């Protein structure tokens, strides 16, 4: 799992090592030089590196890197210094290695374009963890020229002009192919803004681990975590032990939502999927997924209670909302069930998903538990925030945390970067596994079904939400061939088994290699 920390926590972790005289800058520069060589392995003969060096420690990292590239790798590496001051030790090292420092103030447009035209790699070392999401006017032409040149960028520690704690980024900030981050992953690299600019995040171990807080600010699941968390059947498993999920989904207006949510749950590996829907919707669901257990709802059904106590006791999680209008009786009953406001057997589920139409039934008096997951997109989150007297204009991480604190539920805030705020106040989760092709109708219904299946299998709400976001994103990438092809929502559900199998097969390959 990637565990990321805010800027102040990283500074505090570095302090005892710096006071002890540990050469952190040289270690960072050596690792950054190695990554630069890695990215230049397919470059033409005699590749050239251009460092953008600020006045502080980040600039020192970059200048020392250029010196190491010249001294130890025989590469042509020079620097543009972006401030009136420069990191003197780093500058001296580069000049001693035969490199040239070009003060930005002395470069006209023609000379700058000439330097960039000869570069095969740019190292962004203007600002590190002290950076703010504001670019001085004097640096805008430089950043514009680098971006327009198309030269790949390697970021030192994090892209310049990105807040290391919040991820907020200046519009002019340079997108990196890779960010080589030193000592600890910075929280801003995993959050909206910074995550879009960071590219691949490569962590360099500087010995900070024992000095960092035990609790991270932001976490992200990786494949190894998927393999540890993903429920898998054993020889003695039954459909009940694998998890039974009941979905109150689909309506006359949106019947397809039921097919999509049910398919998401079934293709994730639920032991049994129940669908609570009008008969016409059930007919559609059963044609697509005949293994579904149907529970008809609608006029003439006694009190609308479609699950008797015995059946309710053998259901492990519920999904309420996809394809439902806000006034549907299933919404009111589902929210009441998950909020503990119904007279039901003690074994009845208190875990589940509130999505789409069900989000409108949450009011300031609704208290849920962390094993209930709310799944709003930004617009739905803002509407819910207004009802709960929360500022709807908060940045996405703060908005997700505020909604979780107000409801007690875990909040999965959908977006290009999916954020999961645990209802118990635990570290924020951030998943960046998706493709823009998922921005199409019905994919959220599939996600609700995936999440319901994982909750029914017994995963805690925050783990289930982060894992669902990862699997949903990977399935979207498979269905769209890494974003090259358009997709429809059912393609995502159908790609879930392959997404799961690919991750598990990779583990088997690793095990074979270890033997």
């Amino acid at each position: 799992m990637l565990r990321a920390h805010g800027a102040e926590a990283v500074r505090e972790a570095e302090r005892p090592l710096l006071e002890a005289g540990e050469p952190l800058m040289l270690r960072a520069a050596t690792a950054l030089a190695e990554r630069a060589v890695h990215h230049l392995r397919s470059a033409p003969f005699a590749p050239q590196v251009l460092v953008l060096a600020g006045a502080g420690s980040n600039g020192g990292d970059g200048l020392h890197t250029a010196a190491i590239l010249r001294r130890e790798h025989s590469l042509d590496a020079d620097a543009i210094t972006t401030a009136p001051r420069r990191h003197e030790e780093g500058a001296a090292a580069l000049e001693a290695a035969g490199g040239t420092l070009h003060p930005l103030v002395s470069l006209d447009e023609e000379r700058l374009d000439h330097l960039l035209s000869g570069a095969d790699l740019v190292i962004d070392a203007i600002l590190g963890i002290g950076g703010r999401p504001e670019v001085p006017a004097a640096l805008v032409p430089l950043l514009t020229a680098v971006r327009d040149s198309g030269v790949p960028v390697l970021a030192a520690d994090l892209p310049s002009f990105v807040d290391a704690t919040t991820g907020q980024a200046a519009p002019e900030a340079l997108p990196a192919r890779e960010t080589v981050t030193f000592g600890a992953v910075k929280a801003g690299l995993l959050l909206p803004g910074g995550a879009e600019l960071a590219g691949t995040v490569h962590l360099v171990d500087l010995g900070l681990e024992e000095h960092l807080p035990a609790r991270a600010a932001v976490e992200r699941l990786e494949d190894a975590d998927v393999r540890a968390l993903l429920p898998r059947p054993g020889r003695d498993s039954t459909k009940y032990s694998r998890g039974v999920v009941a979905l109150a989904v689909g309506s006359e207006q949106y019947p397809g939502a039921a097919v999509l949510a049910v398919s998401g749950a079934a293709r994730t590996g639920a032991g049994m999927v129940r669908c609570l829907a009008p008969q016409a919707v059930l007919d559609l669901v059963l044609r697509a997924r005949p293994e579904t257990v149907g529970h008809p709802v609608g006029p003439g059904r006694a009190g609308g209670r479609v699950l008797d106590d015995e059946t309710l006791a053998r259901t492990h999680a519920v999904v309420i909302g996809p394809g439902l209008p806000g006034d549907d009786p299933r919404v009111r009953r589902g929210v009441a069930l998950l909020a503990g406001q119904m007279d039901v057997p003690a074994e009845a589920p208190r875990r589940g998903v509130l999505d789409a139409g069900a989000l409108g039934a949450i009011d300031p008096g609704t208290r849920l538990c962390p094993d209930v997951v709310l799944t709003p997109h930004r617009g739905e989150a803002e509407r819910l925030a207004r009802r709960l007297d929360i500022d709807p204009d908060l940045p996405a991480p703060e908005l997700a945390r505020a909604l979780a604190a107000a409801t007690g539920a875990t909040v999965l805030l959908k977006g290009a970067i999916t954020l999961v705020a645990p209802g118990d106040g635990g570290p924020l989760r951030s998943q960046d596994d998706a493709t823009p092709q998922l921005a199409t109708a019905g994919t959220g219904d599939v996600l609700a079904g995936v999440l319901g299946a994982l909750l029914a299998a017994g995963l805690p709400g925050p783990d289930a939400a982060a894992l669902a976001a990862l699997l949903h994103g990977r399935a979207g990438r498979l269905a769209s061939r890494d974003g090259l092809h358009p997709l429809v929502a059912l393609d995502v559900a159908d790609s879930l088994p392959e997404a799961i199998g690919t991750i598990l097969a990779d583990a088997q390959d690793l095990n074979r290699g270890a033997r």
Side-chain angles (χ1 to χ4, degrees):
M1 180 180 290
L2 282 179
R3 302 176 71 253
H5 299 271
E8 190 54 38
V10 175
R11 288 193 188 96
E12 287 298 317
E14 290 176 340
R15 184 170 288 115
L17 298 179
L18 292 171
E19 290 174 351
E22 295 288 342
L24 299 187
M25 182 173 289
L26 289 178
R27 291 179 190 168
T30 299
L32 184 57
E34 290 173 355
R35 294 307 299 167
V37 170
H38 172 80
H39 284 279
L40 291 167
R41 65 192 186 281
S42 60
F45 177 74
Q48 299 181 52
V49 177
L50 186 63
V51 175
L52 311 182
S57 296
N58 196 248
D61 294 334
L63 293 172
H64 277 293
T65 298
I68 292 169
L69 288 172
R70 280 184 166 272
R71 231 179 19 244
E72 300 181 15
H73 300 281
S74 301
L75 292 178
D76 187 358
D78 297 307
I80 295 175
T81 54
T82 63
R85 293 186 301 107
R86 62 187 192 177
H87 189 277
E88 290 300 336
E89 183 183 326
L94 178 54
E95 289 176 330
T100 302
L101 289 91
H102 304 275
L104 179 62
V105 294
S106 68
L107 296 177
D108 59 21
E109 183 178 348
E110 181 179 357
R111 180 59 179 153
L112 177 58
D113 288 344
H114 175 73
L115 288 173
L116 288 170
S117 68
D120 297 286
L121 182 70
V122 167
I123 295 178
D124 173 8
I126 302 174
L127 289 173
I129 61 175
R132 294 291 178 264
E134 299 171 0
V135 177
L139 295 188
V140 171
L142 170 64
L143 301 183
T144 301
V146 173
R147 186 181 298 103
D148 291 347
S149 73
V151 179
V153 174
L154 191 63
D157 207 22
L158 74 160
S160 297
F161 310 107
V162 170
D163 189 295
T165 300
T166 69
Q168 294 179 17
E172 303 91 349
L174 292 175
R177 174 175 292 181
E178 176 177 287
T179 295
V180 183
T181 195
F182 308 133
V185 178
K186 314 309 182 286
L189 295 173
L190 304 187
L191 295 175
E196 284 87 353
L197 294 169
T200 304
V201 176
H202 180 87
L203 174 62
V204 176
D205 182 11
L206 296 180
L208 269 61
E209 184 65 32
E210 65 179 287
H211 303 286
L212 290 166
R215 174 170 154 166
V218 183
E219 297 177 339
R220 175 171 293 172
L221 297 185
E222 300 181 287
D223 283 10
D225 306 300
V226 176
R227 293 189 280 269
L229 289 172
L230 193 67
R232 278 173 275 178
R235 291 173 62 87
D236 298 327
S237 295
T238 69
K239 59 190 175 187
Y240 294 109
S241 66
R242 294 190 67 184
V244 178
V245 57
L247 299 96
V249 291
S251 61
E252 182 179 348
Q253 186 176 6
Y254 302 110
V259 175
L260 296 170
V262 164
S263 295
R267 300 299 269 166
T268 303
M272 179 188 293
V273 179
R274 306 184 191 275
C275 183
L276 289 60
Q279 188 61 57
V281 174
L282 285 180
D283 291 343
L284 188 64
V285 169
L286 291 169
R287 280 196 291 272
R289 300 244 61 91
E291 66 276 10
T292 306
V293 178
H295 297 266
V297 302
R301 306 290 173 186
R305 183 161 189 164
V306 296
L307 294 182
D308 58 34
D309 286 355
E310 181 180 355
T311 304
L312 199 56
R314 300 188 79 177
T315 296
H316 304 110
V318 296
V319 176
I320 315 292
L324 300 189
D327 60 355
D328 191 294
R330 289 171 289 171
V331 168
R332 296 194 300 274
R333 291 186 62 80
V335 173
L337 170 67
L338 293 176
Q341 299 168 349
M342 285 177 55
D343 182 17
V344 294
E347 301 88 348
R350 288 290 305 279
R351 52 174 48 228
V353 181
L354 296 178
D355 179 53
L359 295 170
I362 298 171
D363 58 37
T366 305
R367 292 302 300 174
L368 302 160
C369 72
D371 290 332
V372 175
V373 183
L374 314 184
T375 56
H377 55 60
R378 178 74 202 204
E380 292 169 329
E382 291 176 0
R383 291 192 289 274
L384 179 56
R386 292 187 186 95
R387 289 201 306 278
L388 300 181
D389 199 25
I390 294 169
D391 180 1
D393 296 323
L394 288 171
E398 295 178 36
L399 182 59
R401 288 190 183 104
L403 292 173
T407 62
T410 292
V411 174
L412 185 158
L413 181 55
K414 293 181 281 196
I417 307 294
T418 296
L419 301 175
V420 176
D424 59 6
L428 193 72
R429 307 286 184 88
S430 167
Q431 293 302 137
D432 184 12
D433 306 279
T435 165
Q437 296 287 3
L438 282 167
T440 189
T443 56
D445 302 327
V446 175
L447 175 62
V450 174
L451 180 50
L454 296 174
L455 288 167
L459 268 65
D463 287 343
L467 181 54
L470 184 151
L471 295 177
H472 184 258
R474 298 288 182 89
R477 282 163 49 184
L478 283 170
S480 65
R481 297 194 180 181
D482 268 336
L484 295 177
H485 293 186
L487 56 76
V488 294
L490 202 55
D491 295 340
V492 180
D494 289 341
S495 296
L496 283 163
E498 184 179 356
I500 293 168
T502 298
I503 295 171
L504 297 181
D506 286 347
Q508 292 178 345
D509 291 343
L510 287 172
N511 290 337
R512 291 191 193 99
R515 291 197 296 269

